[in-house]
Amino acid sequence: MSGDKVLIFDTTLRDGEQSPGAAMSIPQKLEIARQLAVLGVDIIEAGFPISSPAQFEATKLVAEQVKGPTIAALARANANDIEAAGKALAAAKKKRIHTFIATSPIHMKHKLKKEPAQVLKMAVEAIQCCKNFTDDIEFSPEDACRSEIPFLIEVLNAVIEAGATTLNIPDTVGYVLPYEYGQLIAKLKSDVKGIDKCVISTHCHNDLGMAVANSLAGVRNGARQVECTVNGLGERAGNAAMEEVVMAIRTRQDFFGDGGLSTNINTKEIYRTSQLVSQLTGFVIQPNKAIVGANAFAHESGIHVDGILKERSTYEIMTPETIGLGGSRMVLGRHTGRAGFADRCKQLGYKLTKDELEQAYQRFIEIADKKKEVFDEDVAAIVNAEMRVVEQTYTLDYLHVASGTGTLPTASVKIGVKGETKIAVAFGDGPVDAAYEAIRQAMDLRPKLAEYSIRAITAGTEALGEATVRISENGRTFIGRGVSTDIIEASAKA
Ligand SMILES: [Zn+2]
């Protein structure tokens, strides 16, 4: 068992997208999938093709365009679902169908309204159906952790016999604790017939904050695939966070037996991937989030700083460089030319067209004028903000906000709406509120502001601020993002 690999099955695009409010467009999914390939995940679960035409299309495009990882699609245990998954995956070089059916008494009785014998039959038939499309077949007994173990073993025996190659054991509702989950994996590993030929997989939810701990308990007991998502996105409280699982396995190799365990992840891409997913979904990363939070490598107390300066390992179990943070902190400024800026963009992994580069460069010069030092994170924020504007429907031509003690916050705006210019003036509870009110009036819109957050991208009082705004109108949710050295301007742009 020495030196085994743990496969990373990323489900950011499927389970992650089921986070309330995290819906991603098809181009966004493609962009994330490409980055997941660069990151080195083994399997990308691209979607649930039967569930909607957009899901089908996204899965199909990822299967066609993203090279490297195996591309997986989800299907319930019926022929229609499996056929849709098979069709969506047709172009993939390596494809996997992931089919599932619930095996817990509570799900069988209330959700499926089926007897165990029927469920067993459907599971076997589903595997047989998958074989028409691929030999790489994953089976999940949904709600495995609340299933009766003898029945769970019976179903797993039968699906292996039918041809399943990966057995995923989901803690669908995030109910179990690490010790229990580890015991369950150990029991299945010893009692299910033919399981040695299959890969055992974990799929843990974070309802009790145990998703990563449970996944690792599964690995410790023989699981060799972990299903996870970037930043722990996912249904309800989310899935196991990819970056935590990967860094725990890497940092604690000593814990996982002779020779340790490893993954195929290029950890230096972790930070960039995390940022990309956060920016595209509008889900801001909490500062104290393990591995990728802004404070994850920040040392504050005097004793800690002193220790770090003397010997980093006194208070640091991982270095920020391993996750791709702050390796080169070379600073750009207003004297940086186009070539220097282009070179940095390239180093940061951006492939920009000439026009895009010029646009980003203009923005960079504006920012470099206000801010003496421009860091890599700033460059990334500029490029992300400038380049991902799919269609600039509105342009902010002018914004003036007056606020202070004793004055009523007032904003005046001039906005270009598809070639027309609109002007409005409004009061508000605060400067941001006033700016929004003025924009609403100018655009004649009444959207509901669902969520608003501001974060500083880099440190210092002149740092770039990134404002993320989630608005909803007529049941549709829009996410806007703006970057500026002025938070009010950033908010308005968003
Ligand atoms: Zn799930």
Side-chain angles (χ1 to χ4, degrees):
M1 183 80 43
S2 75
D4 264 9
K5 283 273 183 217
V6 176
L7 301 174
I8 298 297
F9 177 113
D10 184 281
T11 184
T12 306
L13 300 180
R14 202 278 300 166
D15 211 322
E17 208 213 13
Q18 289 171 225
S19 306
M24 296 166 231
S25 69
I26 292 173
Q28 288 175 335
K29 285 186 179 177
L30 256 179
E31 190 173 356
I32 291 174
R34 288 207 177 91
Q35 177 59 27
L36 291 172
V38 172
L39 176 69
V41 307
D42 300 281
I43 302 107
I44 295 175
E45 187 164 52
F48 187 4
I50 195 88
S51 67
S52 75
Q55 285 269 340
F56 182 91
E57 193 59 23
T59 308
K60 183 165 168 278
L61 286 172
V62 171
E64 284 167 1
Q65 298 185 20
V66 179
K67 308 287 174 226
T70 296
I71 310 300
L74 188 67
R76 284 166 299 191
N78 68 63
N80 283 344
D81 277 41
I82 292 167
E83 196 175 317
K87 280 187 179 157
L89 292 173
K93 214 165 172 194
K94 293 183 279 178
K95 46 179 159 276
R96 172 182 297 184
I97 297 179
H98 175 195
T99 186
F100 70 98
I101 191 163
T103 50
S104 66
I106 189 166
H107 275 229
M108 290 192 289
K109 182 165 179 232
H110 299 288
K111 190 181 82 172
L112 299 175
K113 303 195 191 312
K114 293 205 185 318
E115 293 300 317
Q118 288 173 283
V119 167
L120 178 70
K121 185 163 171 278
M122 287 171 74
V124 169
E125 285 171 359
I127 304 299
Q128 286 159 350
C129 185
C130 291
K131 278 184 173 166
N132 297 325
F133 303 95
T134 176
D135 292 330
D136 187 344
I137 302 165
E138 173 167 331
F139 176 76
S140 289
E142 192 188 3
D143 204 16
C145 295
R146 293 190 299 171
S147 300
E148 285 167 358
I149 291 189
F151 181 61
L152 188 58
I153 291 176
E154 195 183 345
V155 172
L156 294 177
N157 284 339
V159 295
I160 292 175
E161 170 112 34
T165 50
T166 298
L167 299 177
N168 182 43
I169 309 302
D171 181 17
T172 306
V173 292
Y175 176 70
V176 294
L177 302 180
Y179 180 77
E180 294 172 293
Y181 191 75
Q183 292 290 300
L184 174 63
I185 297 296
K187 171 90 179 148
L188 297 176
K189 191 171 163 57
S190 82
D191 290 9
V192 172
K193 275 188 232 114
I195 202 162
D196 287 341
K197 291 176 293 178
C198 300
V199 175
I200 305 174
S201 167
T202 68
H203 181 110
C204 300
H205 276 273
N206 208 31
D207 298 71
L208 294 173
M210 301 288 163
V212 170
N214 284 346
S215 305
L216 295 173
V219 168
R220 166 92 169 182
N221 285 281
R224 287 297 176 266
Q225 173 178 289
V226 174
E227 301 201 356
C228 48
T229 58
V230 176
N231 300 335
L233 286 182
E235 285 268 7
R236 307 181 310 279
N239 287 60
M242 176 280 299
E243 59 279 5
E244 296 176 21
V245 170
V246 168
M247 291 310 291
I249 290 173
R250 184 187 156 114
T251 308
R252 293 303 312 277
Q253 291 188 23
D254 60 313
F255 177 79
F256 291 101
D258 270 353
L261 291 172
S262 63
T263 68
N264 290 319
I265 297 297
N266 174 5
T267 59
K268 287 195 159 45
E269 292 290 335
I270 285 179
Y271 186 72
R272 192 204 313 269
T273 311
S274 162
Q275 289 289 307
L276 178 73
V277 169
S278 166
Q279 284 163 4
L280 293 184
T281 56
F283 274 46
V284 175
I285 299 163
Q286 76 197 52
N288 57 326
K289 165 82 177 63
I291 316 293
V292 292
N295 293 349
F297 292 97
H299 300 278
E300 184 71 37
S301 94
I303 293 170
H304 289 210
V305 171
D306 181 55
I308 286 281
L309 289 173
K310 286 176 176 147
E311 165 58 44
R312 275 176 93 165
S313 61
T314 49
Y315 287 97
E316 222 169 61
I317 60 165
M318 305 168 272
T319 65
E321 290 81 7
T322 20
I323 64 153
L325 231 181
S328 90
R329 296 281 297 187
M330 235 173 72
V331 176
L332 305 181
R334 77 174 81 181
H335 301 299
T336 305
R338 276 181 183 73
F341 180 74
D343 189 55
R344 179 50 52 90
C345 289
K346 213 169 128 194
Q347 278 177 25
L348 291 173
Y350 293 104
K351 291 189 191 81
L352 303 178
T353 65
K354 234 177 147 188
D355 286 352
E356 287 171 338
L357 186 66
E358 184 55 30
Q359 233 176 300
Y361 180 71
Q362 290 308 329
R363 186 78 187 120
F364 160 75
I365 286 296
E366 265 174 53
I367 284 163
D369 254 347
K370 294 182 200 166
K371 192 172 180 292
K372 282 173 222 90
E373 297 172 317
V374 181
F375 297 101
D376 284 353
E377 293 87 339
D378 296 319
V379 175
I382 292 167
V383 175
N384 288 337
E386 292 296 305
M387 296 312 127
R388 294 221 178 79
V389 180
V390 184
E391 189 191 342
Q392 273 273 21
T393 322
Y394 304 104
T395 55
L396 184 63
D397 295 336
Y398 171 85
L399 170 71
H400 179 78
V401 180
S403 77
T405 319
T407 55
L408 195 57
T410 313
S412 47
V413 291
K414 192 166 121 191
I415 296 179
V417 185
K418 292 169 191 148
E420 264 183 82
T421 302
K422 310 224 169 172
I423 295 169
V425 180
F427 304 111
D429 293 333
V432 174
D433 186 52
Y436 276 126
E437 188 51 39
I439 292 168
R440 276 189 212 131
Q441 287 183 15
M443 299 185 350
D444 198 21
L445 284 176
R446 284 273 130 210
K448 201 173 140 268
L449 189 60
E451 195 187 310
Y452 173 66
S453 63
I454 288 178
R455 68 182 187 103
I457 292 167
T458 41
T461 49
E462 286 170 323
L464 282 186
E466 182 184 72
T468 303
V469 178
R470 197 189 295 274
I471 57 174
S472 54
E473 197 187 22
N474 303 329
R476 291 175 66 197
T477 302
F478 300 89
I479 297 164
R481 222 161 282 113
V483 176
S484 174
T485 48
D486 179 340
I487 58 156
I488 296 166
E489 191 188 318
S491 307
K493 282 189 155 188

